[in-house]
Amino acid sequence: MPDRIRVDVEGRHLDLTNLDKVLYPQVGFTKAEVIDYYTRISPVLLPHLAGRPLTRIRFPNGVDGNSFFEKNAPAGTPDWVRTVRLPVPGSSRGRETIDFIVVEELATLVWLANLASLELHTPQWRVSGDGEPLDPDQLVIDLDPGPPAGLPACYEVALLVRDRLAEDGLDVRPKTSGRKGMQLVADLPGDETADEISAYVKDVAEELSRRRPDLVVAKMARQLRPGKVFIDWSQNNAFKTTVAPYSLRAGALPTVSAPLTWDEVAEGVLTIADLTSSVVLSRALDG
């Protein structure tokens, strides 16, 4: 395979490089396969990215090599890639603002995949057409199991959370994290602040921890988590991000943060390893 090929993606010209580089050594999954996955999954992935400033985790030498978080648009970003300049208080690099990438077309997604941006993370809010931050349009609840608890315990807690939020009129969607836990997402009308949403989810987490102290933890202290599931309400902080639905994860296998049905959650059979890129593509595109 040539070191560099030029492709046309919906009228955008891109140079793709090192397509035979193996990014998941255990299974020989290459950069070409990463690009192929993101291209084919784009019809269901792009709506989750649209309007959201993107944080990427890049693995230029594969999942066994060094990685780095990237929020700012890197040098050489094509002029057709949408960017928005946003404040970043408390930046570890002393920046006052960052030019974030917003993925709204396939060409941008392919360009990022070519940079080995394996993981895609987004906040719970979008920006306006003028690039101004809007109030959150969704809440997220991260379910983090403490060993020896695992995904089956998360399934049980997910059902508790679903039923509790339904009492407040919220329809919750489940997905795996692609690693060891789950996230639950609910759409919001966009008229509450991140602080208000965080406080609400924290109240729910504390309520469920009182109801099921054998299973649920609402406090962040790690010594409280073994054998239980931490309901992480803090993911609703305006400056935090969560892995996007259909994003790859960087592990031994090319697993995916995969949307689930509630029947699958109730059955409690699927494992993280069951939901690799090929499986998720079939689920998403073939029904």
Side-chain angles (χ1 to χ4, degrees):
M1 186 175 295
D3 290 339
R4 179 183 300 268
I5 64 170
R6 171 151 285 207
V7 297
D8 180 285
V9 182
E10 298 180 340
R12 309 292 194 190
H13 297 294
L14 294 170
D15 288 326
L16 304 182
T17 58
N18 301 317
L19 292 177
D20 57 352
K21 176 179 281 190
V22 175
L23 298 183
Y24 290 81
Q26 181 168 309
V27 290
F29 199 75
T30 65
K31 187 199 281 192
E33 290 172 294
V34 168
I35 294 172
D36 177 70
Y37 168 75
Y38 275 126
T39 299
R40 295 170 63 195
I41 204 70
S42 63
V44 292
L45 169 59
L46 286 174
H48 294 286
L49 303 180
R52 299 189 192 277
L54 188 69
T55 296
R56 293 88 63 204
I57 308 181
R58 290 175 57 181
F59 292 80
N61 294 305
V63 298
D64 291 342
N66 292 330
S67 63
F68 58 96
F69 281 82
E70 188 171 61
K71 294 179 179 288
N72 59 299
T77 297
D79 57 11
W80 43 262
V81 170
R82 185 186 179 193
T83 61
V84 292
R85 182 162 294 175
L86 298 172
V88 283
S91 167
S92 61
R93 298 194 176 186
R95 296 177 173 142
E96 294 185 0
T97 61
I98 281 179
D99 292 327
F100 286 84
I101 289 170
V102 181
V103 179
E104 296 186 326
E105 60 178 325
L106 175 58
T108 303
L109 187 60
V110 171
W111 171 69
L112 289 172
N114 185 59
L115 296 177
S117 303
L118 299 185
E119 297 195 9
L120 310 176
H121 296 247
T122 58
Q124 313 318 316
W125 47 272
R126 300 179 190 264
V127 293
S128 68
D130 295 331
E132 294 298 319
L134 303 172
D135 283 333
D137 61 348
Q138 62 184 28
L139 67 75
V140 65
I141 296 176
D142 188 68
L143 303 181
D144 184 8
L151 196 55
C154 290
Y155 287 147
E156 187 175 355
V157 174
L159 293 168
L160 295 175
V161 173
R162 178 198 65 179
D163 294 345
R164 173 61 187 84
L165 293 191
E167 296 174 11
D168 295 330
L170 293 173
D171 185 21
V172 182
R173 301 184 301 276
K175 70 182 183 75
T176 66
S177 69
R179 284 190 174 165
K180 60 177 181 174
M182 291 181 64
Q183 284 101 30
L184 307 174
V185 181
D187 292 333
L188 298 174
D191 56 6
E192 295 179 281
T193 68
D195 288 344
E196 291 170 334
I197 295 164
S198 292
Y200 167 71
V201 177
K202 183 180 181 182
D203 287 345
V204 169
E206 291 175 343
E207 177 186 328
L208 293 178
S209 70
R210 291 190 297 269
R211 189 188 306 176
R212 290 292 308 272
D214 60 314
L215 182 63
V216 176
V217 174
K219 294 182 179 179
M220 292 189 180
R222 292 195 174 274
Q223 63 267 28
L224 300 176
R225 299 189 196 180
K228 301 180 182 181
V229 176
F230 173 46
I231 298 180
D232 189 353
W233 44 268
S234 72
Q235 289 298 112
N236 294 284
N237 183 296
F239 299 105
K240 285 197 173 185
T241 60
T242 303
V243 65
Y246 301 107
S247 172
L248 289 167
R249 299 309 301 265
L253 305 175
T255 56
V256 173
S257 180
L260 303 173
T261 68
W262 281 113
D263 284 345
E264 289 171 333
V265 174
E267 290 168 0
V269 174
L270 285 173
T271 69
I272 296 298
D274 291 327
L275 297 165
T276 58
S277 58
S278 59
V279 173
V280 171
L281 274 169
S282 178
R283 285 162 59 93
L285 304 183
D286 299 336

